[in-house]
Structures are given as C-alpha cells and as structure tokens.
C-alpha cells in the first residue's frame, strides 16, 4: 500500500503548497516517493495538487507522501518571495473584523 494505511499526513500541507527536491542522495524510498523525486527533479517546484495530477494519485495520498518526504529531508517548501508585510495583514484583519461588527 502506498501510505501504509494512514489516513492523514504527519504535518499540515495544503494542495496548493509548493515543494522542491532537496539536494542530496535519498536512498530507501518507496516507488511513489521515487516518482515524486524524479518528477520534481525534472520540473522544479510543483504544488502537491500538480504532483497528484502528474502521478495520477488521489490528492490525499499525494499529501501524505509529500509530507513523508519533507520529514525525511528530501523535499523543502520554498518561502514565498512576495509575502505581504505583517502590517498589511493586520490592517486586513482589522477591516474584516469591522465588517462583522
């Protein structure tokens, strides 16, 4: 079985999360994990949803396998280059709270 009967990933990971292959040799991976590593090696950063689509895996299985590879240090999630400033997020939150009240 691809995920050993597990129903959830070891960490929170979204289908839109981007991941990249980490440098180094990663022995003892299962067949689906090797497919993910080969896919990322050929294409660069992909979302978990794209991995699921390319490998024809159910999204939940792709999330579990991706989280496993992150736990092993095989994958990394790059930080966004244009993340909004904390001040902007606080202002948005304040505005949303004002709409509700």
């Amino acid at each position: 079985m691809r995920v050993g009967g597990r129903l959830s990933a070891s960490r929170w990971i979204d289908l839109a999360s981007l991941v990249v292959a980490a440098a180094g040799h990663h022995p003892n991976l299962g067949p689906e994990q090797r497919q993910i590593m080969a896919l990322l090696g050929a294409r660069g950063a992909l979302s978990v949803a794209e991995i699921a689509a390319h490998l024809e895996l159910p999204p939940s299985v792709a999330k579990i396998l991706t989280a496993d590879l992150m736990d092993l240090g095989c994958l990394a999630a790059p930080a966004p280059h244009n993340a909004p400033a904390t001040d902007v997020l606080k202002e948005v939150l304040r505005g949303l709270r004002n709409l509700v009240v």
Side-chain angles (χ1 to χ4, degrees):
M1 190 169 209
R2 296 176 187 164
V3 294
R6 291 175 292 149
L7 299 176
S8 62
S10 60
R11 62 173 69 206
W12 183 89
I13 188 165
D14 190 74
L15 288 174
S17 299
L18 288 178
V19 292
V20 295
H25 180 65
H26 309 289
N28 303 322
L29 298 178
E32 288 89 2
Q33 292 171 323
R34 286 193 302 270
Q35 286 180 316
I36 291 171
M37 295 302 293
L39 179 64
L40 290 170
R43 299 198 179 238
L46 290 174
S47 70
V48 178
E50 290 171 309
I51 292 169
H54 280 288
L55 300 181
E56 298 179 1
L57 294 171
S60 58
V61 171
K63 287 172 74 170
I64 293 169
L65 292 170
T66 301
D68 289 349
L69 287 167
M70 291 177 84
D71 292 343
L72 292 170
C74 299
L75 298 182
H81 295 291
N82 56 354
T86 305
D87 295 343
V88 173
L89 294 175
K90 287 180 182 177
E91 283 298 317
V92 169
L93 181 58
R94 188 174 335 189
L96 291 172
R97 285 184 178 145
N98 288 337
L99 289 174
V100 174
V101 176

